[in-house]
Amino acid sequence: MIRTTLGLAVALTLAATSAGAADGEFKALFNGKDLSGWVTPADKTLFSVENGEIVGRTKGNLKKNEFLVTEKPYGDFVLKAKVKLRNHNSGIQFRSKRADDGAVSGPQADVANGYWGLLYEERGRGILEQFDKEKAEALIKKNDWNDFVISAKGDHVTIDINGTRVIDRVDPKFAKEGIIALQVHTGEPMEVRYKDLEIKTAD
């Protein structure tokens, strides 16, 4: 009985150690204090940090969609983020490209009323795939935090929202690497918040 208990204790310790190591592979993309490591749009008022959260906020006068962009590109990765949308339209770009004027092109996990569970290619092919709208809406916590997990490995991309797989797509036209970016959209004044952004790469 003592040996069994001891063996169980050792097994649990090893399991905990392994879990800790796995969790440790994720690295923060956002330090919770400022926008270090990110490239901001020309209008510095569009993105700010409040209460440990990245806030994207517009006055409704954008001439084009604007983005907060990582300084470095990423290839194969798993990205975690918590997102709270007050209204309108946002999204998480990945394996994307930033032009000199701040425009971003590439795939996006939509964060938008009526478009949850949508994989969209900004300045490209448009809508690539969409989860059932009613089921997607049922997944979303309105005016609250929603968990996104985006995985890209080779041509294979998956997107999970609040633990449910909404996108599972193999697409050879995806770029093999690119920046990650957070969007604020043209149109009505809007606000979106992001926190707990973490990434695990294949390195």
Side-chain angles (χ1 to χ4, degrees):
M1 185 67 174
I2 294 177
R3 289 181 179 177
T4 301
T5 303
L6 180 60
L8 179 61
V10 171
L12 290 173
T13 300
L14 289 173
T17 302
S18 298
D23 290 343
E25 292 175 0
F26 279 91
K27 296 181 179 180
L29 271 182
F30 167 53
N31 63 19
K33 300 176 182 179
D34 56 40
L35 297 177
S36 299
W38 295 81
V39 178
T40 57
D43 184 348
K44 306 303 180 186
T45 68
L46 294 176
F47 290 94
S48 60
V49 177
E50 300 175 5
N51 302 317
E53 303 159 10
I54 294 175
V55 182
R57 185 183 290 122
T58 74
K59 297 178 180 178
N61 57 355
L62 292 185
K63 294 182 179 179
K64 69 177 190 314
N65 297 339
E66 297 286 356
F67 298 85
L68 182 69
V69 179
T70 56
E71 290 180 344
K72 60 176 289 187
Y74 295 89
D76 289 353
F77 64 85
V78 178
L79 172 70
K80 295 180 180 180
K82 292 184 183 296
V83 185
K84 183 194 289 186
L85 180 69
R86 186 189 71 184
N87 68 306
H88 197 32
N89 193 324
S90 181
I92 304 172
Q93 295 279 150
F94 57 96
R95 287 193 181 172
S96 295
K97 182 178 180 181
R98 182 181 188 272
D100 291 340
D101 67 353
V104 169
S105 57
Q108 177 190 107
D110 255 46
V111 173
N113 297 324
Y115 296 99
W116 298 103
L118 177 72
L119 176 61
Y120 183 82
E121 190 171 69
E122 181 86 359
R123 293 177 176 260
R125 292 173 287 168
I127 296 175
L128 299 178
E129 194 168 318
Q130 185 169 15
F131 192 64
D132 180 90
K133 283 189 176 182
E134 290 187 4
K135 291 180 180 178
E137 289 292 331
L139 290 174
I140 299 304
K141 303 171 186 175
K142 302 291 185 181
N143 300 310
D144 202 350
W145 294 103
N146 293 279
D147 294 317
F148 274 69
V149 179
I150 302 170
S151 173
K153 184 175 182 181
D155 297 334
H156 188 201
V157 167
T158 62
I159 301 172
D160 294 2
I161 302 178
N162 293 330
T164 295
R165 178 69 41 89
V166 296
I167 297 293
D168 191 333
R169 182 181 180 87
V170 175
D171 192 332
K173 292 186 178 181
F174 286 141
K176 296 302 180 284
E177 71 168 18
I179 51 88
I180 290 167
L182 310 179
Q183 181 195 66
V184 287
H185 206 282
T186 58
E188 65 185 278
M190 62 158 292
E191 181 182 293
V192 63
R193 292 175 178 260
Y194 292 88
K195 68 176 182 178
D196 297 345
L197 288 98
E198 299 179 312
I199 195 165
K200 177 169 65 174
T201 65
D203 299 339

